[in-house]
mmCIF file of all heavy atoms in Angstrom:
data_model
loop_
_atom_site.group_PDB
_atom_site.id
_atom_site.type_symbol
_atom_site.label_atom_id
_atom_site.label_comp_id
_atom_site.label_asym_id
_atom_site.label_seq_id
_atom_site.Cartn_x
_atom_site.Cartn_y
_atom_site.Cartn_z
ATOM 1 N N PRO E 1003 -65.537 10.470 -7.473
ATOM 2 C CA PRO E 1003 -64.493 11.446 -7.190
ATOM 3 C C PRO E 1003 -63.418 11.593 -8.257
ATOM 4 O O PRO E 1003 -62.852 10.630 -8.715
ATOM 5 C CB PRO E 1003 -63.872 10.963 -5.875
ATOM 6 C CG PRO E 1003 -64.469 9.641 -5.593
ATOM 7 C CD PRO E 1003 -65.714 9.512 -6.392
ATOM 8 N N ARG E 1004 -63.193 12.833 -8.626
ATOM 9 C CA ARG E 1004 -62.178 13.134 -9.644
ATOM 10 C C ARG E 1004 -60.813 13.343 -9.007
ATOM 11 O O ARG E 1004 -59.805 13.214 -9.647
ATOM 12 C CB ARG E 1004 -62.598 14.387 -10.429
ATOM 13 C CG ARG E 1004 -63.830 14.186 -11.278
ATOM 14 C CD ARG E 1004 -64.503 15.493 -11.587
ATOM 15 N NE ARG E 1004 -64.926 16.158 -10.367
ATOM 16 C CZ ARG E 1004 -66.026 16.891 -10.276
ATOM 17 N NH1 ARG E 1004 -66.803 17.039 -11.307
ATOM 18 N NH2 ARG E 1004 -66.353 17.470 -9.155
ATOM 19 N N VAL E 1005 -60.804 13.715 -7.721
ATOM 20 C CA VAL E 1005 -59.548 13.955 -7.011
ATOM 21 C C VAL E 1005 -59.503 13.030 -5.795
ATOM 22 O O VAL E 1005 -60.367 13.129 -4.926
ATOM 23 C CB VAL E 1005 -59.438 15.427 -6.558
ATOM 24 C CG1 VAL E 1005 -58.138 15.640 -5.795
ATOM 25 C CG2 VAL E 1005 -59.548 16.367 -7.749
ATOM 26 N N PRO E 1006 -58.551 12.104 -5.732
ATOM 27 C CA PRO E 1006 -58.473 11.213 -4.564
ATOM 28 C C PRO E 1006 -58.301 12.015 -3.273
ATOM 29 O O PRO E 1006 -57.557 12.992 -3.225
ATOM 30 C CB PRO E 1006 -57.241 10.357 -4.853
ATOM 31 C CG PRO E 1006 -57.055 10.441 -6.336
ATOM 32 C CD PRO E 1006 -57.516 11.814 -6.726
ATOM 33 N N VAL E 1007 -59.014 11.612 -2.239
ATOM 34 C CA VAL E 1007 -58.961 12.293 -0.945
ATOM 35 C C VAL E 1007 -58.538 11.291 0.121
ATOM 36 O O VAL E 1007 -59.148 10.225 0.246
ATOM 37 C CB VAL E 1007 -60.324 12.913 -0.578
ATOM 38 C CG1 VAL E 1007 -60.285 13.513 0.824
ATOM 39 C CG2 VAL E 1007 -60.726 13.973 -1.600
ATOM 40 N N ASP E 1008 -57.495 11.628 0.878
ATOM 41 C CA ASP E 1008 -57.076 10.827 2.028
ATOM 42 C C ASP E 1008 -57.960 11.224 3.196
ATOM 43 O O ASP E 1008 -57.841 12.332 3.741
ATOM 44 C CB ASP E 1008 -55.604 11.122 2.336
ATOM 45 C CG ASP E 1008 -55.065 10.282 3.487
ATOM 46 O OD1 ASP E 1008 -55.811 10.049 4.458
ATOM 47 O OD2 ASP E 1008 -53.894 9.873 3.421
ATOM 48 N N VAL E 1009 -58.874 10.336 3.587
ATOM 49 C CA VAL E 1009 -59.874 10.678 4.591
ATOM 50 C C VAL E 1009 -59.232 11.042 5.922
ATOM 51 O O VAL E 1009 -59.624 12.025 6.567
ATOM 52 C CB VAL E 1009 -60.876 9.513 4.757
ATOM 53 C CG1 VAL E 1009 -61.746 9.721 5.991
ATOM 54 C CG2 VAL E 1009 -61.744 9.394 3.524
ATOM 55 N N ALA E 1010 -58.262 10.258 6.366
ATOM 56 C CA ALA E 1010 -57.620 10.544 7.646
ATOM 57 C C ALA E 1010 -56.951 11.915 7.625
ATOM 58 O O ALA E 1010 -57.079 12.699 8.579
ATOM 59 C CB ALA E 1010 -56.603 9.460 7.979
ATOM 60 N N ALA E 1011 -56.254 12.224 6.553
ATOM 61 C CA ALA E 1011 -55.584 13.524 6.445
ATOM 62 C C ALA E 1011 -56.601 14.654 6.360
ATOM 63 O O ALA E 1011 -56.419 15.731 6.952
ATOM 64 C CB ALA E 1011 -54.662 13.535 5.231
ATOM 65 N N TYR E 1012 -57.677 14.411 5.626
ATOM 66 C CA TYR E 1012 -58.725 15.427 5.470
ATOM 67 C C TYR E 1012 -59.348 15.772 6.825
ATOM 68 O O TYR E 1012 -59.478 16.948 7.180
ATOM 69 C CB TYR E 1012 -59.779 14.914 4.501
ATOM 70 C CG TYR E 1012 -61.023 15.763 4.418
ATOM 71 C CD1 TYR E 1012 -61.014 16.994 3.761
ATOM 72 C CD2 TYR E 1012 -62.210 15.336 5.005
ATOM 73 C CE1 TYR E 1012 -62.161 17.769 3.695
ATOM 74 C CE2 TYR E 1012 -63.365 16.096 4.938
ATOM 75 C CZ TYR E 1012 -63.329 17.315 4.277
ATOM 76 O OH TYR E 1012 -64.471 18.080 4.215
ATOM 77 N N LEU E 1013 -59.734 14.756 7.599
ATOM 78 C CA LEU E 1013 -60.342 15.008 8.897
ATOM 79 C C LEU E 1013 -59.335 15.606 9.873
ATOM 80 O O LEU E 1013 -59.678 16.476 10.677
ATOM 81 C CB LEU E 1013 -60.929 13.717 9.462
ATOM 82 C CG LEU E 1013 -62.152 13.156 8.730
ATOM 83 C CD1 LEU E 1013 -62.535 11.798 9.301
ATOM 84 C CD2 LEU E 1013 -63.324 14.113 8.779
ATOM 85 N N ARG E 1014 -58.105 15.142 9.808
ATOM 86 C CA ARG E 1014 -57.074 15.688 10.702
ATOM 87 C C ARG E 1014 -56.876 17.179 10.430
ATOM 88 O O ARG E 1014 -56.702 17.974 11.365
ATOM 89 C CB ARG E 1014 -55.760 14.937 10.510
ATOM 90 C CG ARG E 1014 -54.661 15.378 11.487
ATOM 91 C CD ARG E 1014 -53.405 14.537 11.346
ATOM 92 N NE ARG E 1014 -52.829 14.648 10.011
ATOM 93 C CZ ARG E 1014 -52.759 13.657 9.131
ATOM 94 N NH1 ARG E 1014 -53.250 12.463 9.446
ATOM 95 N NH2 ARG E 1014 -52.216 13.832 7.947
ATOM 96 N N ASP E 1015 -56.924 17.577 9.172
ATOM 97 C CA ASP E 1015 -56.756 18.992 8.836
ATOM 98 C C ASP E 1015 -57.941 19.831 9.319
ATOM 99 O O ASP E 1015 -57.772 21.011 9.657
ATOM 100 C CB ASP E 1015 -56.599 19.163 7.324
ATOM 101 C CG ASP E 1015 -55.258 18.657 6.818
ATOM 102 O OD1 ASP E 1015 -54.353 18.450 7.646
ATOM 103 O OD2 ASP E 1015 -55.122 18.459 5.591
ATOM 104 N N LEU E 1016 -59.144 19.229 9.341
ATOM 105 C CA LEU E 1016 -60.321 19.956 9.824
ATOM 106 C C LEU E 1016 -60.351 20.039 11.347
ATOM 107 O O LEU E 1016 -60.920 20.972 11.919
ATOM 108 C CB LEU E 1016 -61.602 19.251 9.365
ATOM 109 C CG LEU E 1016 -62.019 19.382 7.900
ATOM 110 C CD1 LEU E 1016 -63.296 18.585 7.673
ATOM 111 C CD2 LEU E 1016 -62.230 20.840 7.506
ATOM 112 N N TRP E 1017 -59.740 19.045 11.992
ATOM 113 C CA TRP E 1017 -59.875 18.930 13.431
ATOM 114 C C TRP E 1017 -59.145 20.053 14.151
ATOM 115 O O TRP E 1017 -58.076 20.517 13.756
ATOM 116 C CB TRP E 1017 -59.289 17.591 13.888
ATOM 117 C CG TRP E 1017 -59.345 17.407 15.371
ATOM 118 C CD1 TRP E 1017 -60.404 16.960 16.109
ATOM 119 C CD2 TRP E 1017 -58.310 17.697 16.305
ATOM 120 N NE1 TRP E 1017 -60.094 16.939 17.435
ATOM 121 C CE2 TRP E 1017 -58.818 17.393 17.589
ATOM 122 C CE3 TRP E 1017 -57.008 18.191 16.188
ATOM 123 C CZ2 TRP E 1017 -58.057 17.551 18.745
ATOM 124 C CZ3 TRP E 1017 -56.250 18.354 17.332
ATOM 125 C CH2 TRP E 1017 -56.770 18.031 18.596
ATOM 126 N N GLU E 1018 -59.777 20.492 15.239
ATOM 127 C CA GLU E 1018 -59.140 21.391 16.199
ATOM 128 C C GLU E 1018 -59.741 21.064 17.558
ATOM 129 O O GLU E 1018 -60.817 20.453 17.635
ATOM 130 C CB GLU E 1018 -59.362 22.861 15.822
ATOM 131 C CG GLU E 1018 -60.807 23.233 15.599
ATOM 132 C CD GLU E 1018 -60.955 24.646 15.062
ATOM 133 O OE1 GLU E 1018 -60.010 25.154 14.430
ATOM 134 O OE2 GLU E 1018 -62.018 25.224 15.289
ATOM 135 N N PRO E 1019 -59.096 21.435 18.659
ATOM 136 C CA PRO E 1019 -59.580 20.998 19.971
ATOM 137 C C PRO E 1019 -61.052 21.278 20.234
ATOM 138 O O PRO E 1019 -61.742 20.480 20.873
ATOM 139 C CB PRO E 1019 -58.671 21.760 20.940
ATOM 140 C CG PRO E 1019 -57.397 21.911 20.189
ATOM 141 C CD PRO E 1019 -57.816 22.125 18.743
ATOM 142 N N ARG E 1020 -61.570 22.387 19.740
ATOM 143 C CA ARG E 1020 -62.969 22.679 20.031
ATOM 144 C C ARG E 1020 -63.925 21.813 19.204
ATOM 145 O O ARG E 1020 -65.125 21.770 19.484
ATOM 146 C CB ARG E 1020 -63.260 24.166 19.818
ATOM 147 C CG ARG E 1020 -63.331 24.627 18.384
ATOM 148 C CD ARG E 1020 -63.953 26.030 18.339
ATOM 149 N NE ARG E 1020 -64.061 26.532 16.978
ATOM 150 C CZ ARG E 1020 -63.181 27.318 16.398
ATOM 151 N NH1 ARG E 1020 -62.090 27.675 17.052
ATOM 152 N NH2 ARG E 1020 -63.366 27.746 15.164
ATOM 153 N N SER E 1021 -63.410 21.121 18.177
ATOM 154 C CA SER E 1021 -64.259 20.222 17.410
ATOM 155 C C SER E 1021 -64.643 19.010 18.237
ATOM 156 O O SER E 1021 -65.793 18.582 18.252
ATOM 157 C CB SER E 1021 -63.524 19.758 16.147
ATOM 158 O OG SER E 1021 -63.201 20.835 15.310
ATOM 159 N N TRP E 1022 -63.683 18.410 18.912
ATOM 160 C CA TRP E 1022 -63.907 17.228 19.738
ATOM 161 C C TRP E 1022 -63.341 17.510 21.129
ATOM 162 O O TRP E 1022 -62.205 17.157 21.426
ATOM 163 C CB TRP E 1022 -63.187 16.017 19.157
ATOM 164 C CG TRP E 1022 -63.717 15.553 17.841
ATOM 165 C CD1 TRP E 1022 -64.947 15.793 17.313
ATOM 166 C CD2 TRP E 1022 -63.025 14.751 16.893
ATOM 167 N NE1 TRP E 1022 -65.057 15.201 16.087
ATOM 168 C CE2 TRP E 1022 -63.897 14.538 15.805
ATOM 169 C CE3 TRP E 1022 -61.766 14.169 16.855
ATOM 170 C CZ2 TRP E 1022 -63.546 13.792 14.693
ATOM 171 C CZ3 TRP E 1022 -61.411 13.420 15.754
ATOM 172 C CH2 TRP E 1022 -62.297 13.233 14.681
ATOM 173 N N PRO E 1023 -64.109 18.152 22.001
ATOM 174 C CA PRO E 1023 -63.544 18.497 23.315
ATOM 175 C C PRO E 1023 -63.066 17.300 24.119
ATOM 176 O O PRO E 1023 -62.237 17.440 25.007
ATOM 177 C CB PRO E 1023 -64.725 19.191 24.017
ATOM 178 C CG PRO E 1023 -65.592 19.687 22.900
ATOM 179 C CD PRO E 1023 -65.454 18.686 21.803
ATOM 180 N N THR E 1024 -63.568 16.101 23.810
ATOM 181 C CA THR E 1024 -63.144 14.916 24.547
ATOM 182 C C THR E 1024 -61.680 14.588 24.301
ATOM 183 O O THR E 1024 -61.012 14.013 25.145
ATOM 184 C CB THR E 1024 -64.012 13.713 24.132
ATOM 185 O OG1 THR E 1024 -65.371 14.014 24.415
ATOM 186 C CG2 THR E 1024 -63.620 12.461 24.895
ATOM 187 N N PHE E 1025 -61.168 14.945 23.117
ATOM 188 C CA PHE E 1025 -59.834 14.529 22.725
ATOM 189 C C PHE E 1025 -58.879 15.716 22.654
ATOM 190 O O PHE E 1025 -59.075 16.621 21.845
ATOM 191 C CB PHE E 1025 -59.877 13.843 21.352
ATOM 192 C CG PHE E 1025 -60.810 12.661 21.318
ATOM 193 C CD1 PHE E 1025 -62.016 12.739 20.642
ATOM 194 C CD2 PHE E 1025 -60.481 11.485 21.970
ATOM 195 C CE1 PHE E 1025 -62.876 11.661 20.614
ATOM 196 C CE2 PHE E 1025 -61.343 10.402 21.951
ATOM 197 C CZ PHE E 1025 -62.549 10.490 21.273
ATOM 198 N N PRO E 1026 -57.830 15.717 23.474
ATOM 199 C CA PRO E 1026 -56.863 16.818 23.415
ATOM 200 C C PRO E 1026 -55.996 16.752 22.171
ATOM 201 O O PRO E 1026 -55.380 17.740 21.790
ATOM 202 C CB PRO E 1026 -56.031 16.629 24.689
ATOM 203 C CG PRO E 1026 -56.134 15.159 24.982
ATOM 204 C CD PRO E 1026 -57.504 14.753 24.535
ATOM 205 N N HIS E 1027 -55.924 15.561 21.537
ATOM 206 C CA HIS E 1027 -55.126 15.391 20.334
ATOM 207 C C HIS E 1027 -55.936 14.616 19.303
ATOM 208 O O HIS E 1027 -56.910 13.924 19.631
ATOM 209 C CB HIS E 1027 -53.815 14.650 20.641
ATOM 210 C CG HIS E 1027 -53.013 15.281 21.729
ATOM 211 N ND1 HIS E 1027 -52.366 16.486 21.579
ATOM 212 C CD2 HIS E 1027 -52.784 14.880 23.018
ATOM 213 C CE1 HIS E 1027 -51.758 16.804 22.698
ATOM 214 N NE2 HIS E 1027 -51.987 15.841 23.589
ATOM 215 N N TRP E 1028 -55.529 14.714 18.061
ATOM 216 C CA TRP E 1028 -56.203 13.995 16.977
ATOM 217 C C TRP E 1028 -56.260 12.500 17.289
ATOM 218 O O TRP E 1028 -55.227 11.854 17.486
ATOM 219 C CB TRP E 1028 -55.456 14.245 15.671
ATOM 220 C CG TRP E 1028 -55.753 13.288 14.569
ATOM 221 C CD1 TRP E 1028 -54.927 12.335 14.069
ATOM 222 C CD2 TRP E 1028 -56.961 13.188 13.817
ATOM 223 N NE1 TRP E 1028 -55.531 11.639 13.058
ATOM 224 C CE2 TRP E 1028 -56.794 12.144 12.877
ATOM 225 C CE3 TRP E 1028 -58.181 13.859 13.839
ATOM 226 C CZ2 TRP E 1028 -57.784 11.769 11.978
ATOM 227 C CZ3 TRP E 1028 -59.168 13.497 12.943
ATOM 228 C CH2 TRP E 1028 -58.958 12.464 12.018
ATOM 229 N N PRO E 1029 -57.461 11.895 17.346
ATOM 230 C CA PRO E 1029 -57.567 10.491 17.771
ATOM 231 C C PRO E 1029 -57.490 9.480 16.638
ATOM 232 O O PRO E 1029 -57.529 8.275 16.885
ATOM 233 C CB PRO E 1029 -58.956 10.447 18.408
ATOM 234 C CG PRO E 1029 -59.733 11.450 17.615
ATOM 235 C CD PRO E 1029 -58.769 12.541 17.247
ATOM 236 N N GLY E 1030 -57.381 9.929 15.394
ATOM 237 C CA GLY E 1030 -57.385 8.990 14.277
ATOM 238 C C GLY E 1030 -58.799 8.605 13.884
ATOM 239 O O GLY E 1030 -59.787 9.153 14.384
ATOM 240 N N LEU E 1031 -58.926 7.642 12.979
ATOM 241 C CA LEU E 1031 -60.230 7.211 12.492
ATOM 242 C C LEU E 1031 -60.870 6.206 13.456
ATOM 243 O O LEU E 1031 -60.175 5.417 14.097
ATOM 244 C CB LEU E 1031 -60.096 6.570 11.109
ATOM 245 C CG LEU E 1031 -59.625 7.493 9.980
ATOM 246 C CD1 LEU E 1031 -59.480 6.704 8.679
ATOM 247 C CD2 LEU E 1031 -60.570 8.670 9.786
#
Side-chain angles (χ1 to χ4, degrees):
R1004 293 158 299 214
V1005 179
V1007 175
D1008 183 322
V1009 168
Y1012 171 74
L1013 291 174
R1014 184 175 61 246
D1015 289 345
L1016 285 179
W1017 178 83
E1018 53 187 25
R1020 74 167 180 264
S1021 299
W1022 294 339
T1024 301
F1025 303 108
H1027 306 290
W1028 162 251
L1031 295 178

